[in-house]
Amino acid sequence: MKSLLQYSSVSTMAQIHLTRTLLSHLLLTFLSLSTAAHIPAVIVFGDSTVDPGNNNAIPTILRSDFPPYGRDFQNGKPTGRFCNGRLPTDFISEALGLPPLVPAYLDPAYGIEDFAKGVSFASAGTGLDNATSDVLAVIPLWKEVEYFKEYQKKLRKYVGEAHAEYIVNEAIYIISIGTNDFLENYFAVVTGRILQLPVDKFEDFLVSQAAEFLTNIYRLGARKISFAGLSPIGCLPLERTTNVIGKGGCNEKYNRVARDFNAKLQRMIADLCTKLPGLRLRYSGVYDRVLQLINNPSHYGLENVEEGCCGTGKFEMGFLCDSKCPLTCPDANKYLFWDAFHPTEKVNRLMAGLTLSTGLREFI
């Protein structure tokens, strides 16, 4: 394995201190959940990081409802989650005393009696830009909002107007989206956005789209919202593989874009909170957390942070990551990434705990 480069200006001692602090917060969070305020539901919007299987129900090639996806899930069942097991939202739901799985809205195995406690409208491959969802024919973000409206009608019929309003207002909303806008859309050239806008203006456009989306769900009743920033997208295995000039290291250009976007996203979030009465919108900083795993893998029991567990770990995702891959690793817990784009269940569990102890802390 190539030696890890240090992509953070934080000293090693500071990183160790931060690691211990975060783990302490995580422990305290889980110890306090038994006395936490009641959260009636977890409601999710976004992309493959939080899609539990909505893409199974639409005509797209971007799917994961086949082995080895779900290898470490209940009974080894592939559900459409782009992971070997559960997603961060599943762990968050369980920690809040809700069901251990947040179901996909389009999964026919579930109904409104399940969705009343948690539901995900997310679609793998989607983005803040409608052009992103067109690339692989997935559900655009505006359609996720339409599903949310439809859900509320069903909810009112199921529990009544007053209780439906309570669920919608008191639920925790988790938003995870944006990576595909850059890696599948802008830098992939296919939509032509890169010819229309310089990257900083594209960032501004995406932030404006995020603000419009957040305002829309606020008007529909959402109040307690966690919005995840981008991770170091240049360190995804697929981006390392294609970074020939950088000799397989992280693509620092992409990482810089992620940091710039995150800064703009945080300013927008602060602005919205001053404009929309009662909105409790919080930023979830994923970037530094993932960077910690990359720079200090042994602290978390990880051995490989450069490649995915599935296949060669360099480019496999979706249908390229299937049961015929002879090189798939035997123990995903040693890996940061499951495929060339998505984290393992172990990392999803860790990220869920950190989200609970930081961005969602005041809600519980």
Side-chain angles (χ1 to χ4, degrees):
M1 180 187 299
K2 302 178 181 69
S3 61
L4 291 175
L5 299 178
Q6 299 299 315
Y7 294 97
S8 172
S9 60
V10 183
S11 69
T12 300
M13 290 304 296
Q15 287 177 337
I16 293 173
H17 175 72
L18 181 57
T19 299
R20 290 172 176 169
T21 300
L22 289 173
L23 291 176
S24 295
H25 282 317
L26 173 59
L27 178 60
L28 289 173
T29 294
F30 281 101
L31 289 176
S32 66
L33 285 179
S34 60
T35 58
H38 177 63
I39 303 297
V42 172
I43 299 176
V44 185
F45 296 88
D47 56 25
S48 59
T49 54
V50 288
D51 176 7
N54 282 309
N55 276 19
N56 299 352
I58 62 174
T60 177
I61 61 169
L62 189 56
R63 303 164 69 111
S64 58
D65 54 340
F66 47 83
Y69 286 102
R71 187 181 72 181
D72 300 308
F73 196 76
Q74 300 170 354
N75 301 317
K77 179 184 178 182
T79 61
R81 289 168 171 80
F82 279 81
C83 184
N84 59 305
R86 291 197 281 168
L87 302 176
T89 41
D90 296 320
F91 291 114
I92 289 171
S93 178
E94 183 177 35
L96 294 174
L98 295 167
L101 301 176
V102 177
Y105 183 63
L106 299 182
D107 189 336
Y110 295 92
I112 191 59
E113 63 277 8
D114 305 296
F115 301 146
K117 295 182 179 180
V119 62
S120 176
F121 305 105
S123 176
T126 202
L128 293 162
D129 183 359
N130 286 334
T132 302
S133 62
D134 292 339
V135 175
L136 292 169
V138 299
I139 302 167
L141 189 57
W142 67 263
K143 185 63 175 178
E144 292 187 27
V145 176
E146 290 301 306
Y147 284 141
F148 182 42
K149 295 177 183 177
E150 180 182 85
Y151 160 76
Q152 290 195 33
K153 291 180 181 178
K154 294 178 181 178
L155 190 63
R156 287 192 290 270
K157 185 176 180 180
Y158 177 61
V159 299
E161 292 279 348
H163 193 55
E165 182 178 1
Y166 166 77
I167 291 173
V168 170
N169 290 162
E170 295 300 321
I172 281 180
Y173 292 78
I174 298 174
I175 320 297
S176 180
I177 195 169
T179 297
N180 297 317
D181 290 301
F182 291 103
L183 300 185
E184 181 186 309
N185 176 347
Y186 191 83
F187 290 120
V189 186
V190 292
T191 64
R193 289 295 197 208
I194 196 170
L195 302 176
Q196 299 168 359
L197 296 168
V199 70
D200 62 320
K201 297 301 181 184
F202 185 63
E203 294 165 7
D204 294 340
F205 167 68
L206 293 180
V207 171
S208 70
Q209 293 298 104
E212 181 179 344
F213 159 74
L214 288 165
T215 301
N216 286 340
I217 64 169
Y218 168 84
R219 289 171 178 164
L220 291 169
R223 291 296 182 270
K224 303 174 182 179
I225 308 172
S226 173
F227 199 118
L230 297 184
S231 69
I233 59 177
C235 293
L236 296 174
L238 183 61
E239 304 314 316
R240 287 179 181 267
T241 300
T242 56
N243 186 19
V244 179
I245 295 177
K247 299 181 180 179
C250 294
N251 187 320
E252 186 53 31
K253 174 184 176 181
Y254 291 178
N255 283 351
R256 184 169 59 252
V257 167
R259 293 193 297 270
D260 291 345
F261 173 81
N262 288 343
K264 293 177 180 180
L265 182 65
Q266 290 177 76
R267 289 194 291 271
M268 178 273 287
I269 286 173
D271 183 56
L272 272 190
C273 285
T274 64
K275 293 179 178 178
L276 302 178
L279 176 64
R280 299 169 69 185
L281 171 60
R282 301 296 180 261
Y283 173 77
S284 180
V286 174
Y287 190 98
D288 289 339
R289 300 170 192 175
V290 174
L291 205 61
Q292 269 204 319
L293 300 180
I294 293 172
N295 288 338
N296 301 283
S298 62
H299 289 204
Y300 304 92
L302 300 174
E303 296 180 4
N304 191 326
V305 296
E306 299 181 0
E307 301 160 335
C309 169
C310 188
T312 65
K314 297 183 180 298
F315 61 88
E316 292 89 348
M317 180 184 71
F319 282 111
L320 293 178
C321 172
D322 62 22
S323 58
K324 297 179 182 178
C325 292
L327 299 177
T328 297
C329 77
D331 185 1
N333 286 330
K334 297 179 180 178
Y335 284 69
L336 170 55
F337 297 100
W338 164 247
D339 61 17
F341 215 80
H342 304 97
T344 58
E345 180 184 65
K346 176 178 179 175
V347 172
N348 283 341
R349 183 191 295 271
L350 176 61
M351 300 307 290
L354 291 171
T355 299
L356 283 163
S357 65
T358 53
L360 295 178
R361 177 64 175 164
E362 68 179 271
F363 301 150
I364 56 177

